[in-house]
């Protein structure tokens, strides 16, 4: 099963490597990992997407909680939540294909953020499925490059991972 | 008044109550060693960093204090890695200082530079790279706190050269500020009630005691629980000594080379209270065949140890001693007469198993049986010595044939299985407990791995005895090749070994040899008279003796082989 682990960490030397090392050392796979600071300086939230059965994920969470720089760990998948990742897609576009691509981008509620004679860059956010569908539709036009952030997720309701 | 980082280091160690440390100097540690020259601390110089850290580990296990050791940057630090991993696996509190190149050279592949925080990441409880002398005192305070609280473990502090020479004011705080680190000490009362209720209904209960009982010094509480409800006690390998070995409720230790009664008790039990143990694969055997009839309550300070390998019915996260006190406080609220009859029968059953199939071997009066040597050491020291072991057959025979009565008496590399551990650990244990006899029960193979530490023991007048069960084989490897590889002894025969007596002589310490069973007692007695220097005892034992009983790999623990 797919899990989204949200981890509140102290922003200190070596924290990222401790966490990623914990996954690799125990043979767990990281599907995506994204990190950003919270409102409180010195604290960050990491979002790690991983796969495993209940026992594996329970172990992951317990082992993460043991790390001295980790303040809180939650599996967001167990709650009602919203998940997004962002893609930047560079694609071949000429005078003929440009209107069609514009249409597709509009349909998927993306944004054109750069444009030149033979290519353009689209920014799009959404669930992984939506983003994959978007890429599939664009593929025939010639995708030059895709970069993606990895998922971030947040629980609905008033509780937060960054609450302590 | 501002003082140097090195001076802060010494003051901080003294505030933490450290009076003994092990270390090996190097270029980047010169400033620190210059300060240590005048400090009121006993510094032991091993002959290899690995010897130093194992000695710190043995000292910590024997005394219950935090072991401290130093290594220089680069190779000094990497030589400590095995010792750090060893301490991590067996939950030994260590604070390990490594030197580092100056901060302005870090990352430039400087001479003797290694990313030790990166290298040791998976095998430490926590680690620090101190980049500013103003962080040093707080870091040391935190490191000791983390090392000894909760589930203890090794903490690494990487110290760049300039941090030791930079100056600042020494401020020692009374408290630490670690928002992400709050070990759970008290057990959940509801879970404890649930456990007692299940115990009340159990007819074949077993207590499984582990190394955590020794660490939290919960042995008296454990004894009271076992006696109050008449529960047999099975030990894990590292749990040996946490329950008196001669107590009628004690079944022995369970696992691959554990005894019949213990493995049967675990397999037949209907309820297991596991305390401070982590169900290692060497203990449980095949998991699908493990304790199939039992519900398990697990008391452990490390929540990640619970349900890691074996599914647990009742998890109780907390310090073993504190939780057992809670259990004892609540114990009279249950009706222990209800299943008294079946429980008595059950205890009788475990005793019967033990008398039917105790640890045994075929004695010979022609060739020395290694088991006989351990038995004699146990007898002649009254079961009161500290026994360190190397790894392999010697280790198993030490566990089987020495009668441990007290916690902190049995010191062995359980989790990592580190050859070369026992001798330096024995040096550390003897330095920590100078009034006790300390033996390293050794194999000739393992002993060779850190043999240079004889020098250390001679220099500091450390009176440890090394009982070499000398079979000129890597015994446990040879045993597996004998049993599972058609006696093809690939690279397990130690064709060239030194003459340990001459070797001892060259180091300036006595060496005693026993060639036949008749010599054994005399040699041990002779060694017990020698104080303030190490003694090497060379027992020329039966070369092809095997350790039995044995649970073959992949078998359940009640599927034991006796020959």
């Amino acid at each position: 099963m797919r899990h989204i682990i949200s981890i509140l960490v102290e922003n200190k030397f070596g924290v990222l490597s401790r966490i990623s090392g914990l996954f690799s050392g125990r043979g767990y796979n990281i599907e995506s990992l994204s990190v950003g600071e919270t409102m409180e300086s010195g604290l960050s939230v990491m979002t790690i997407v991983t796969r495993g059965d209940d026992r594996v994920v329970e172990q992951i969470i317990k082992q993460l909680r043991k790390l001295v720089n980790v303040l809180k760990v939650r599996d967001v998948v167990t709650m009602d939540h919203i998940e997004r990742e962002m893609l930047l897609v560079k694609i071949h576009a000429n005078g003929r294909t440009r209107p069609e691509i514009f249409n597709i981008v509009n349909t998927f509620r993306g944004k054109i953020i750069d444009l030149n004679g033979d290519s353009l860059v689209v920014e799009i956010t959404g669930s992984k499925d939506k983003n994959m569908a978007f890429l599939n539709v664009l593929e025939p036009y010639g995708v030059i490059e895709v970069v993606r952030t990895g998922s971030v997720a947040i629980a609905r309701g008033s509780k937060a991972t960054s609450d302590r | 008044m501002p003082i140097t980082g090195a001076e802060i280091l010494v003051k901080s160690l003294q505030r933490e109550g450290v009076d003994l440390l092990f270390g090996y100097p190097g270029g980047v540690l010169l400033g620190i060693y210059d300060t240590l020259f005048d400090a009121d601390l006993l510094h032991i110089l091993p002959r290899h960093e690995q010897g130093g850290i194992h000695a710190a580990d043995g000292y910590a296990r024997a005394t219950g204090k935090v072991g401290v050791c130093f290594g220089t940057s680069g190779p000094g630090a990497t030589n400590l890695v095995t010792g750090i991993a060893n301490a991590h696996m067996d939950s030994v509190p260590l604070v390990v200082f490594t030197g580092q190149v100056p901060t302005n050279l870090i990352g430039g592949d400087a001479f003797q530079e290694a990313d030790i925080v990166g290298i040791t990441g998976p095998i430490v409880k926590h680690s620090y790279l101190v980049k500013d002398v103003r962080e040093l005192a707080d870091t040391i305070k935190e490191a000791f706190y983390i090392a000894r609280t909760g589930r203890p473990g090794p903490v690494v502090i990487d110290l760049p050269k300039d941090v030791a020479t930079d100056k600042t004011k020494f401020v020692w705080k009374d408290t630490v500020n670690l928002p992400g680190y709050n070990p759970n000490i008290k057990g959940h009362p509801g879970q404890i009630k649930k456990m007692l209720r299940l115990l009340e209904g159990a007819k074949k209960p077993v207590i499984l005691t582990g190394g955590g009982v020794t660490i939290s010094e919960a042995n008296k509480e454990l004894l009271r629980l076992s006696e109050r409800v008449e529960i047999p006690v099975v030990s894990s390998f590292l749990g040996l000594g946490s329950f008196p070995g001669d107590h009628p409720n004690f079944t022995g230790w369970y696992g691959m080379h554990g005894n019949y009664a213990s493995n049967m008790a675990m397999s037949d039990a209907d309820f297991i209270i596991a305390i401070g143990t982590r169900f290692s694969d060497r203990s449980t055997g095949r998991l699908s065949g493990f304790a199939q009839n039992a519900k398990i309550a697990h008391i452990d300070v490390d929540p990640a140890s619970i349900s890691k390998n074996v599914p647990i019915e009742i998890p109780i996260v907390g310090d073993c001693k504190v939780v057992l006190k809670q259990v004892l406080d609540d114990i009279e609220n249950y009706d222990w007469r209800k299943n008294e009859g079946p429980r008595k029968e059950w205890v009788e059953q475990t005793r019967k198993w033990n008398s039917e199939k105790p640890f045994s071997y075929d004695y010979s009066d022609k060739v020395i049986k290694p088991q006989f040597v351990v038995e004699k050491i146990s007898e002649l020291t009254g079961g009161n010595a500290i026994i360190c072991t190397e790894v392999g057959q010697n280790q198993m025979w030490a566990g089987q044939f020495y009668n441990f009565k007290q916690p902190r008496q049995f010191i062995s590399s359980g989790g990592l299985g580190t050859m070369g551990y026992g001798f330096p650990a024995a040096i550390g244990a003897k330095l920590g407990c100078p009034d006790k006899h300390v033996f390293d029960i050794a194999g000739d193979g393992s002993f060779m791995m850190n043999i240079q530490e004889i020098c250390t023991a001679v220099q500091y007048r450390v009176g440890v005895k090394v009982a070499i069960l000398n079979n000129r084989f890597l015994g446990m490897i040879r045993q597996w090749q004998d049993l599972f590889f058609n006696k093809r002894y690939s690279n397990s025969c130690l064709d060239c070994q030194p003459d340990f007596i001459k070797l001892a002589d060259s180091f300036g310490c006595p060496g005693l040899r026993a060639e036949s069973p008749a010599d054994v007692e005399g040699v041990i007695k002779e060694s017990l008279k020698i104080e303030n220097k190490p003694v090497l005892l060379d027992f020329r034992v039966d070369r092809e003796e095997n350790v039995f009983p044995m649970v073959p790999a992949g078998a359940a623990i009640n599927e034991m082989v006796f020959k």
Side-chain angles (χ1 to χ4, degrees), chain B residues 410-423:
Chain B
F410 179 57
I411 294 175
S412 190
S413 170
L416 196 66
T418 310
M419 288 177 70
Y421 168 78
F423 178 44

Side-chain angles (χ1 to χ4, degrees), chain A:
Chain A
M1 198 186 146
R2 186 164 173 270
H3 294 265
I4 307 172
I5 318 281
S6 182
I7 313 162
L8 181 68
V9 298
E10 288 181 284
N11 210 342
K12 284 194 175 163
F13 170 80
V15 174
L16 178 62
S17 81
R18 270 182 237 273
I19 288 180
S20 59
L22 190 152
F23 276 77
S24 62
R26 290 182 184 268
Y28 311 137
N29 193 30
I30 293 180
E31 208 170 278
S32 78
L33 188 161
S34 57
V35 198
E37 283 198 326
T38 64
M39 300 281 286
E40 198 172 333
S41 74
L43 297 184
S44 293
V45 167
M46 289 189 186
T47 311
I48 295 182
V49 180
T50 186
R51 277 176 199 279
D53 60 24
D54 290 353
R55 258 193 64 200
V56 166
V57 170
E58 188 187 330
Q59 253 309 297
I60 291 176
I61 291 174
K62 282 174 167 178
Q63 294 291 350
L64 285 170
R65 285 188 177 138
K66 276 173 72 171
L67 297 177
V68 170
N69 299 126
V70 168
L71 274 69
K72 199 167 174 184
V73 185
R74 300 204 298 178
D75 182 1
V76 183
V77 161
T78 62
M79 310 162 199
D80 194 8
H81 68 281
I82 304 151
E83 179 188 348
R84 293 285 184 274
E85 67 166 357
M86 187 172 91
L87 260 58
L88 297 178
V89 189
K90 189 182 288 178
I91 186 164
H92 288 295
N94 53 35
R96 189 179 55 77
T97 56
R98 208 181 271 167
E100 293 175 30
I101 294 173
F102 274 35
N103 254 335
I104 296 168
V105 170
N106 274 331
T107 310
F108 280 87
R109 279 185 258 165
K111 253 196 298 187
I112 311 280
I113 55 172
D114 187 46
L115 191 62
N116 63 35
D118 54 4
S119 73
L120 55 84
V121 176
V122 185
E123 170 195 319
I124 184 165
T125 62
S127 69
K128 219 179 154 189
D129 287 350
K130 173 191 155 179
N131 292 344
M132 279 315 292
F134 178 67
L135 282 177
N136 286 337
V137 179
L138 280 189
E139 211 185 349
Y141 298 95
V143 173
I144 300 164
E145 188 176 8
V146 181
V147 289
R148 52 210 307 175
T149 58
S151 288
V152 290
I154 200 161
R156 290 182 198 273
S158 59
K159 280 194 178 156
T161 298
S162 50
D163 283 343
R164 291 155 64 197

Side-chain angles (χ1 to χ4, degrees), chain B residues 317-332:
Chain B
V317 180
D319 175 81
C320 297
K321 190 184 181 88
V322 174
V323 173
L324 282 179
K325 276 188 172 163
Q326 290 176 270
V327 169
L328 292 169
D329 285 346
D330 202 15
I331 205 156
E332 298 310 331

Side-chain angles (χ1 to χ4, degrees), chain B residues 24 45-53 79-80 450 452-453 456:
Chain B
Y24 205 104
L45 176 73
R47 294 306 187 263
H48 187 293
E49 286 89 351
Q50 193 189 354
I53 188 164
N79 278 345
L80 294 171
N450 273 317
Q452 74 286 349
E453 299 309 329
T456 314

Side-chain angles (χ1 to χ4, degrees), chain B residues 19-33:
Chain B
D19 47 17
L20 173 72
L21 50 99
F22 303 85
Y24 205 104
V28 298
L29 289 180
L30 282 169
I32 290 170
Y33 271 79

Side-chain angles (χ1 to χ4, degrees), chain B residues 446-466:
Chain B
S446 277
F447 182 52
M448 287 292 285
M449 282 208 177
N450 273 317
I451 197 165
Q452 74 286 349
E453 299 309 329
I454 302 174
C455 242
T456 314
V458 171
Q459 180 180 344
Y460 296 97
R461 303 170 56 79
V462 184
V464 292
K465 335 278 184 219
V466 184

